[in-house]
């Protein structure tokens, strides 16, 4: 018994902490209780854990290795309640159905046959290694067939026939008093024929078998079990095929995203030195223009001083202007001012906005994959995004509309580099 207890603990550790024994007989159930007791008595359970079980007298026997530091009582209570309400124990199954046969969906006259049919189905299922169980959590007990770990609901439905309606005496009297009274043409009458429906995977899918003139359901149970086994295998194959298709779809999306990101990164890497070179040119151009402006201011101050020799105006006021202008020129001069060209880093790191002129339709945002909304759409019939060149061209009077708006005279900039002139007030 101690060896069996040790094997139970090892099995619990290997199977995630829970072992289920489906509807054992009384002898096997007693043996399992002795094994659990031996594991506790001989200290075979790892420190910090303890064994608990449910289904001591009936139903499935469930044994759990519970963690003392993280006891999940909510889950355990759910398991205990389900064990009591969902069972494959034959005695409990038929006891529940006999007590409340409303879940069989047959008339009272057909209940005995329906119960016998369920018993025969359970016997055939056991012969094939499966089980028939009942779920009492619902308003009326519902029957299911369990194949390995897969459960399929079983419904027994009595079919009805439409027969011509025969007016009752009361209806005949009412019809004589009221000629406009309309009676039903047919009545639905229970036929005694039974139809068995066993659910399949998916919404409202099921396999159906029914009594016919040659063969009742009782003689087709072996074929029904085989059909259910084949249906479960087909459902599992379809599930795996759907999962493979999903995995392939996700892999293709990831591949496309990786390719887009690679192309985006290549565009950014190509644009970064171009943007840095442009920023470097702009910085040097500003320094050069500042240097030219500073020298021109100094030359103007020299001219003012030279002209002062022939003028009788207030020399003190003129001197103050000249001193102020020379100080401004010194501050402006990148060779000796407050911010010389040598203090500006040569390796300028472009910002995202600096990259935009060199990356076409890609987004310059760092660490983001290209967004379809940031790129011009090439799909037929697509509408341009607001704010893009294509959107501007599509507006009335836009470049692509063919209806140019009237505009005033356009001042054209001169061809060639434009030198910005600084004044002493530019700072």
């Amino acid at each position: 018994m101690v060896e069996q207890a040790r094997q139970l603990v090892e099995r619990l550790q290997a199977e995630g902490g829970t072992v289920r024994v489906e509807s054992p007989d009384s002898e096997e159930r007693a043996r399992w209780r002795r094994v659990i007791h031996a594991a506790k008595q001989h200290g075979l359970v790892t420190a910090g854990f303890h064994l608990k079980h449910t289904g001591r007298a009936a139903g499935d026997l469930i044994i759990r290795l519970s963690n003392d530091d993280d006891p999940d009582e909510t889950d355990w209570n759910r398991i205990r309640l389900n064990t009591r309400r969902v069972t494959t124990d034959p005695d409990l199954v038929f006891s529940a159905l006999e007590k409340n046969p409303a879940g069989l969906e047959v008339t009272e006259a057909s209940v005995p046959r329906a119960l016998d049919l369920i018993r025969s189905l359970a016997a055939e299922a056991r012969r094939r290694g499966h089980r028939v169980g009942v779920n009492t959590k619902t308003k009326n007990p519902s029957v299911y067939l369990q194949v390995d770990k897969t459960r399929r609901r079983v419904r027994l439905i009595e079919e009805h026939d439409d027969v011509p309606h025969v007016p009752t005496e009361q209806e005949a009297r009412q019809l004589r008093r009221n000629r406009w009274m309309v009676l039903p043409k047919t009545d639905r009458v229970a036929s005694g024929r039974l139809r068995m429906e066993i659910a399949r995977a998916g919404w409202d899918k099921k396999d159906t078998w029914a009594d016919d003139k040659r063969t009742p359901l009782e003689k087709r149970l072996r074929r029904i079990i085989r059909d259910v086994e084949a249906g479960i295998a087909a459902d599992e194959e379809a599930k795996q095929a759907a999962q493979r298709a999903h995995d392939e779809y996700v892999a293709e999306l990831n591949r496309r995203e990786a390719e887009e990101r690679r192309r985006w990164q290549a565009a950014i890497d190509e644009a970064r030195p171009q943007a840095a070179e442009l920023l470097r040119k702009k910085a040097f151009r500003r320094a050069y223009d500042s240097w030219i402006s500073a020298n021109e201011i100094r030359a103007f101050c020299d001219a003012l001083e030279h002209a002062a020799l022939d003028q009788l105006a207030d020399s003190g006021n003129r001197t103050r202007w000249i001193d102020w202008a020379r100080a401004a020129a010194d501050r402006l001069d990148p060779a000796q001012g407050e911010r010389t060209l040598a203090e500006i880093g040569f390796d300028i790191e472009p910002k995202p906005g600096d990259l935009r002129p060199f990356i076409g339709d890609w987004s310059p945002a760092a660490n983001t994959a290209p967004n379809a909304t940031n790129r011009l759409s090439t799909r037929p019939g697509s509408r341009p995004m607001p704010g893009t060149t294509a959107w501007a061209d599509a507006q009335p009077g836009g470049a692509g509309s063919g209806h140019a708006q009237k505009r005033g005279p356009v001042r054209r900039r001169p061809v060639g580099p434009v030198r910005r002139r600084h004044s002493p007030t530019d700072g």
Side-chain angles (χ1 to χ4, degrees), residues 102-172:
L104 295 177
E105 304 179 59
V106 299
T107 59
E108 185 177 356
S110 297
V111 167
R113 184 195 169 198
L115 290 175
D116 290 341
L117 190 56
I118 294 296
R119 287 191 180 90
S120 300
L121 179 68
E124 183 63 29
R126 283 195 300 272
R127 194 182 68 81
R128 300 281 296 178
H130 313 315
R131 290 177 179 269
V132 169
V134 67
N135 181 358
T136 60
K137 291 191 295 184
T138 55
K139 180 180 179 180
N140 298 313
S142 59
V143 182
Y144 65 86
L145 174 63
Q146 181 164 336
V147 178
D148 293 331
K149 295 183 179 181
T150 303
R151 290 180 180 177
R152 293 287 187 258
R153 185 183 177 188
V154 179
R155 296 177 63 193
L156 267 182
I157 305 169
E158 185 170 0
E159 296 182 338
H160 290 72
D161 292 330
D162 291 333
V163 298
H165 177 72
V166 178
T168 63
E169 293 182 3
Q170 182 182 0
E171 290 175 338

Side-chain angles (χ1 to χ4, degrees), residues 179-190:
R179 294 183 180 181
W180 303 106
M181 180 179 176
V182 178
L183 298 178
K185 294 182 178 180
T186 59
D187 292 327
R188 287 180 59 80
V189 178

Side-chain angles (χ1 to χ4, degrees), residues 21 64 130 184 217-218 293 302 360 365:
V21 183
R64 168 163 286 193
H130 313 315
L217 283 175
E218 286 83 351
S293 298
D302 292 341

Side-chain angles (χ1 to χ4, degrees), residues 397-414:
S401 66
H403 300 282
Q405 294 178 330
K406 293 184 179 180
R407 305 184 181 211
V410 179
R411 297 182 59 186
R412 300 186 179 277
R413 297 181 62 182

